[in-house]
């Protein structure tokens, strides 16, 4: 049991968490990072990152996150490879308490939440096996690798519509697989899909299997009204069926929207609890990029620093 009261504890170790740590460490806030179950976050499951400024030749996702961690540690960030299981943001004191999975308590005047979100997948064995070998959950991240090639997009929400239209600018043909006879996406996004001549929408269509041994070569789909099966030759398979923010431990403690994304005071990273800040994908269902996550991580560290000063806790 650690009785020390830290200035700031950061929960999560993706671009948001480490950017917050770099800023907090350089402001002498001696941050402690709890990495969570996937140190480095979603980028750990990515191959090449080519859209993060400062890497003109691109960089592997895991390698980039190693560099984020090194940069944070260089200024004194302490990294714990542990998961936070429980939080107490109502201690009645001027600090908050968080508990690791082994029930060890840590106290801090400020908490920065950077727990991220996880992409939802269909749950097929073939989808898992071909992950990063043609299967992706982010068109903006990976679309470029499929320039000039045919791809499929699964989903019918705003993300799927956005990804399909994004890919339609790079690929000769985008096969959009929609499981019902209508789309959930907003009217304007649907219009964009309709206005893209190289997007073919397959209604009432579900995925049976992603095809390929070492890389994606196609997708086997079936029509859930007629049961008719069909193989479509594609080299990229983009799953766009939504994300789940990793915010379960904050339920009924912090304000969140109906899908679990934490809500910050507009223009800030402040949650509804004083001294608790949120950054990255845990509060962002629209942009979801490494660079935007890092940006909000920086904002959270600056907001936390101001909070410490204003409350004479630093
Ligand atoms: P949504 O939950 O809105 O949509 C998920 C889509 O995936 C639905 O069409 C759903 O189908 C489909 N789906 C779910 N599971 C399966 C499955 N197993 N097989 C096939 N299809 C499946 O998620 P989004 O990520 O699209 O959007 C999340 C939120 O973010 C929304 O509020 C959206 O408006 C917002 N957003 C806004 C953007 C913007 O403003 N630019 C961009 C992206 C997102 P069904 O409809 O049948 O349930």
């Amino acid at each position: 049991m650690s009785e020390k009261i830290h200035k700031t504890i950061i929960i999560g170790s993706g671009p948001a968490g480490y950017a917050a740590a770099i800023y907090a460490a350089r402001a002498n806030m001696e941050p402690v990072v709890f990495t969570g179950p996937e140190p480095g976050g979603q980028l750990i499951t990515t191959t090449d990152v080519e859209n993060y400024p400062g890497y003109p030749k691109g960089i592997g996702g895991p390698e980039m996150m190693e560099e984020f961690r090194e940069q944070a540690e260089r200024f004194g960030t302490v990294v714990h490879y542990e998961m936070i299981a429980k939080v107490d943001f109502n201690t009645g004191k001027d600090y908050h308490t968080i508990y690791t999975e082994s029930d060890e308590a840590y106290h801090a005047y400020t908490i920065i939440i950077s727990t991220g979100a996880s992409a939802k997948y269909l749950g097929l064995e073939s989808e898992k096996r071909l992950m990063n070998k043609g299967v992706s959950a982010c068109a903006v991240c990976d679309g470029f690798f499929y320039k000039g090639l045919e791809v499929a997009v699964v989903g019918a929400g705003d993300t799927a519509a956005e990804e399909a239209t994004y890919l339609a600018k790079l690929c000769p043909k985008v096969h959009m697989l929609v499981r019902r006879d209508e789309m959930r996406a907003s009217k304007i996004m649907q219009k964009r899909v309709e206005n893209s001549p190289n997007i073919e929408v397959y209604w009432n269509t579900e995925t049976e299997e992603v095809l390929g041994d070492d890389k994606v070569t196609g997708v086997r789909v079936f029509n859930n009204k007629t049961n008719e099966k069909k193989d479509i030759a594609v080299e990229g398979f983009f799953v766009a069926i939504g994300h789940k923010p990793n915010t379960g431990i904050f339920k009924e403690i912090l304000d969140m929207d109906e899908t679990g994304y934490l809500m910050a005071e507009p223009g800030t990273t402040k949650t509804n609890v004083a001294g608790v800040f949120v950054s990255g994908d845990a509060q962002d269902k629209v942009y979801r990029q490494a660079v935007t996550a890092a940006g909000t991580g920086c904002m959270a560290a600056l907001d936390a620093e101001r909070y410490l000063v204003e409350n004479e806790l630093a």
Side-chain angles (χ1 to χ4, degrees):
M1 174 85 65
S2 160
E3 285 312 321
K4 181 180 162 101
I5 303 171
H6 297 277
K7 288 182 200 164
T8 195
I9 287 179
I10 297 163
I11 312 176
S13 57
Y18 280 136
I22 292 163
Y23 272 79
R26 295 186 74 257
N28 213 19
M29 289 158 73
E30 299 159 352
V32 177
V33 169
F34 285 88
T35 60
E38 199 168 73
Q42 288 181 79
L43 283 176
I44 290 301
T45 56
T46 309
T47 47
D48 290 337
V49 180
E50 292 186 332
N51 55 8
Y52 199 91
Y55 294 102
K57 297 188 180 71
I59 183 167
E63 204 183 330
M64 182 165 114
M65 293 322 297
E66 275 289 292
E67 295 201 356
F68 269 58
R69 182 182 53 74
E70 269 176 39
Q71 194 174 350
E73 286 182 333
R74 179 180 155 208
F75 302 109
T77 301
V78 173
V79 178
H80 289 274
Y81 292 86
E82 277 176 280
M83 167 116 175
I84 296 305
K86 197 168 70 179
V87 297
D88 182 357
F89 293 162
N90 189 19
T91 58
K93 316 240 171 52
D94 57 3
Y95 59 81
H96 301 294
T97 302
I98 62 168
Y99 297 87
T100 65
E101 271 191 318
S102 47
D103 213 28
E104 207 175 335
Y106 286 82
H107 314 294
Y109 296 119
T110 63
I111 306 282
I112 296 175
I113 298 166
S114 319
T115 47
S118 307
K120 290 187 198 161
Y121 288 93
L122 298 172
L124 302 169
E125 181 281 322
S126 52
E127 173 194 52
K128 199 166 171 190
R129 180 168 48 78
L130 293 164
M131 190 70 68
N132 291 326
K133 295 173 185 158
V135 173
S136 166
C138 179
V140 177
C141 317
D142 299 330
F144 189 75
F145 302 122
Y146 300 91
K147 197 172 174 181
L149 304 173
E150 292 200 21
V151 297
V153 174
V154 186
D158 278 335
T159 301
E162 199 168 69
E163 301 224 330
T165 45
Y166 180 87
L167 289 164
K169 295 192 190 105
L170 300 167
C171 305
K173 179 102 190 233
V174 177
H175 305 265
M176 188 169 182
L177 313 176
V178 175
R179 69 177 173 182
R180 287 187 294 138
D181 58 2
E182 60 176 2
M183 283 192 203
R184 182 185 295 267
S186 54
K187 287 281 169 287
I188 185 162
M189 300 297 282
Q190 291 193 40
K191 250 287 97 14
R192 281 186 202 149
V193 170
E194 276 169 36
N195 290 342
S196 304
N198 56 337
I199 300 179
E200 181 174 349
V201 179
Y202 297 68
W203 302 104
N204 300 309
T205 298
E206 295 182 46
T207 305
E208 185 173 287
E209 200 184 339
V210 189
L211 305 172
D213 294 329
D214 306 327
K215 64 184 182 79
V216 171
T217 55
V219 57
R220 180 162 301 146
V221 299
F222 66 98
N223 183 302
N224 57 27
K225 287 270 188 298
T226 62
N227 272 331
E228 193 190 328
K229 287 190 188 182
K230 183 180 165 81
D231 287 357
I232 308 169
V234 291
E235 292 185 52
F237 182 77
F238 289 85
V239 187
I241 61 170
H243 286 73
K244 192 179 176 317
N246 303 318
T247 56
I249 57 170
F250 310 113
K251 217 172 166 186
E252 282 157 27
I253 299 174
L254 295 178
D255 286 348
M256 47 179 79
D257 71 9
E258 68 288 351
T259 49
Y261 284 89
L262 294 177
M263 309 219 301
E265 195 180 293
T268 79
T269 62
K270 294 176 189 169
T271 68
N272 57 307
V273 173
V276 179
F277 304 89
V278 61
S279 60
D281 287 10
Q283 53 85 53
D284 173 17
K285 63 180 171 194
V286 177
Y287 301 102
R288 295 194 293 243
Q289 299 302 301
V291 68
T292 50
T296 56
C298 158
M299 287 166 65
L302 296 177
D303 284 342
E305 187 195 358
R306 275 180 207 137
Y307 176 87
L308 290 173
V309 173
E310 278 162 18
N311 292 281
E312 297 177 357
L313 296 165

